[in-house]
Amino acid sequence: MKVLLINGSPHKAGCTYTALCELAAQFQKNGVETEIFQVDPKAQSCIACGACKGKGRCAFEGDGVNECIKKIEDSDGVIIGSPVYYANISGGLASTLDRVFYAKKSFAGKPCAAVVSCRRGGAGSAFDRINKYFSISCMPIVSSSYWNSVHGNTPEEVVQDKEGMQVLRTLANNMTWMIRCIEEGKKAGIEFPEMEAKITTNFIR
Ligand SMILES: Cc1cc2nc3c(=O)[nH]c(=O)nc-3n(C[C@H](O)[C@H](O)[C@H](O)COP(=O)(O)O)c2cc1C
């Protein structure tokens, strides 16, 4: 059982990373392996070239996007973390996730969650932004006892956010539970529902 923790901050060991470490420690207590994947803060934005169509990978190599797709595919669950930048996610993460989800389209059935780190405000809209990738991809979003955010300007401040830390531990426990339920379900012959061929409309036809 493995959960991928994605660090969308340019700071490899900053506040977002501190939140991911709290998750990793709780997953470890639950017997779940974790890996932290560092997003390239200079990741190229999606240029809508469409070269990914049907391929499941982006045409641009070398900035971690295709590696990220593979790592999500190989994991049993994924948690995406971002610092809050002007009430949104970091630019590097936005570029990465646009290309990951546009190329791959779907990680259907994979449990997922968003975590955001901010000094003071804008956590809600950044959290929503990450959840939008999941909820267009048939991915079950795991929740906690609050919207997953931590507050602080430094890692030392983040660990003082006791409620934020607890929300993360609860999230790790809830995701462990969901992954185990899915595993047991598979053993009992319960598979993720087959998807219909996609119907795409643009509201006028
Ligand atoms: C460009 C930029 C924009 C930011 N915008 C916000 C914001 O809207 N709200 C907020 O509370 N903090 C904001 N911050 C502060 C970071 O979100 C906060 O320090 C975060 O915890 C840093 O996480 P990190 O150490 O993982 O990079 C911003 C920081 C930067 C660099």
Side-chain angles (χ1 to χ4, degrees), residues 2-6 35-37 68 71-72 75 77-79:
K2 185 170 180 179
V3 171
L4 184 69
L5 306 171
I6 298 179
E35 178 185 349
I36 294 183
F37 177 82
C68 186
K71 284 188 186 289
I72 298 175
S75 67
V78 59
I79 298 180

Side-chain angles (χ1 to χ4, degrees), residues 87-197:
N88 212 311
I89 61 176
S90 72
L93 182 63
S95 295
T96 299
L97 295 182
D98 284 355
R99 286 165 54 208
V100 163
F101 282 86
Y102 205 67
K104 178 60 192 170
K105 300 288 185 205
S106 173
F107 299 98
K110 198 174 294 283
C112 56
V115 168
V116 294
S117 164
C118 70
R119 183 187 68 80
R120 188 167 179 84
S125 42
F127 181 68
D128 288 347
R129 166 78 189 265
I130 300 174
N131 282 322
K132 290 291 192 294
Y133 293 99
F134 301 144
S135 51
I136 200 172
S137 307
C138 294
M139 297 172 79
I141 297 173
V142 180
S143 66
S144 183
S145 50
Y146 204 89
W147 303 298
N148 314 320
S149 61
V150 292
H151 290 254
N153 236 359
T154 62
E156 294 72 31
E157 285 177 6
V158 167
V159 292
Q160 290 173 47
D161 177 4
K162 298 291 175 208
E163 184 173 351
M165 293 286 107
Q166 185 180 57
V167 166
L168 296 175
R169 292 191 297 275
T170 303
L171 174 62
N173 290 342
N174 292 351
M175 186 173 278
T176 304
W177 172 79
M178 191 183 277
I179 292 170
R180 288 202 176 121
C181 287
I182 290 170
E183 265 188 10
E184 291 306 310
K186 277 184 190 157
K187 284 183 204 159
I190 302 168
E191 289 295 337
F192 194 75
E194 227 173 81
M195 298 218 308
E196 287 185 20

Side-chain angles (χ1 to χ4, degrees), residues 9-11 14-17 83-87 117-122 152-153:
S9 170
H11 300 129
C15 300
T16 308
Y17 171 82
V84 174
Y85 283 0
Y86 295 98
S117 164
C118 70
R119 183 187 68 80
R120 188 167 179 84
N153 236 359

Side-chain angles (χ1 to χ4, degrees), residues 40-69:
D40 183 345
K42 293 181 179 168
Q44 158 78 47
S45 63
C46 178
I47 61 163
C49 63
C52 58
K53 198 172 180 191
K55 294 197 180 81
R57 58 189 290 117
C58 182
F60 290 114
E61 302 284 350
D63 60 4
V65 165
N66 289 323
E67 198 188 348
C68 186
I69 291 173

